[in-house]
């Protein structure tokens, strides 16, 4: 799976047989971006969702961003974000943060 930039903030997730989803990365400030409007095709398995997040995190790191913010809307996503080493930044807004570890 790989990412292709479609527009300024719009990205497409692709596999060898075509697109599997889209998302936006909204630039906030000082290397911080927010993931919004993540949509994947219905046939994506829960295991593939982990792969989707790993590909997005790799892209964010390669682009030189410092932090990725994600607003969660479900307990299942909360669990996935926690598994991916996101930290809860705002409990009330269900806002999670991933701090990029540049090597």
């Amino acid at each position: 799976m790989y990412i292709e930039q479609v527009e300024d903030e719009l990205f497409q997730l692709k596999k060898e047989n075509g697109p599997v989803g889209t998302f936006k990365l909204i630039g906030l400030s000082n290397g911080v971006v927010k993931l919004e409007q993540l949509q994947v095709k219905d046939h994506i398995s829960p295991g593939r969702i982990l792969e989707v997040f790993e590909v997005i995190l790799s892209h964010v790191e390669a682009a030189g961003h410092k932090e990725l913010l994600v607003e969660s809307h479900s307990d299942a996503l909360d669990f996935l974000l926690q598994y991916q080493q996101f930290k809860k930044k705002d409990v009330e807004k269900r806002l999670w943060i991933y701090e990029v570890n540049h090597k």
Side-chain angles (χ1 to χ4, degrees), residues 5-38:
Q5 189 164 2
V6 178
E7 293 175 10
D8 187 33
E9 296 177 333
L10 181 64
F11 297 84
Q12 193 169 57
L13 293 157
K14 289 189 165 185
K15 287 177 55 175
E16 58 281 345
N17 57 350
V20 294
T22 59
F23 65 93
K24 287 187 174 186
L25 283 179
I26 310 299
L28 300 178
S29 64
N30 298 330
V32 178
V33 290
K34 184 175 182 187
L35 177 66
E36 291 188 355
Q37 300 175 14
L38 174 62

Side-chain angles (χ1 to χ4, degrees), residues 48-59 83-84:
R48 285 287 197 199
I49 296 297
L50 282 174
E51 182 182 359
V52 164
F53 269 92
E54 287 173 7
V55 169
I56 291 172
L57 291 174
S58 292
H59 174 79
Y83 179 80
Q84 295 286 68

Side-chain angles (χ1 to χ4, degrees), residues 27-82:
L28 300 178
S29 64
N30 298 330
V32 178
V33 290
K34 184 175 182 187
L35 177 66
E36 291 188 355
Q37 300 175 14
L38 174 62
Q39 298 177 340
V40 293
K41 292 192 175 180
D42 292 340
H43 66 273
I44 297 288
S45 69
R48 285 287 197 199
I49 296 297
L50 282 174
E51 182 182 359
V52 164
F53 269 92
E54 287 173 7
V55 169
I56 291 172
L57 291 174
S58 292
H59 174 79
V60 167
E61 183 176 341
H65 300 297
K66 295 178 185 174
E67 297 176 343
L68 175 64
L69 300 176
V70 176
E71 195 171 323
S72 175
H73 301 287
S74 72
D75 291 339
L77 182 55
D78 285 352
F79 180 76
L80 177 99
L81 293 171
Q82 190 173 10

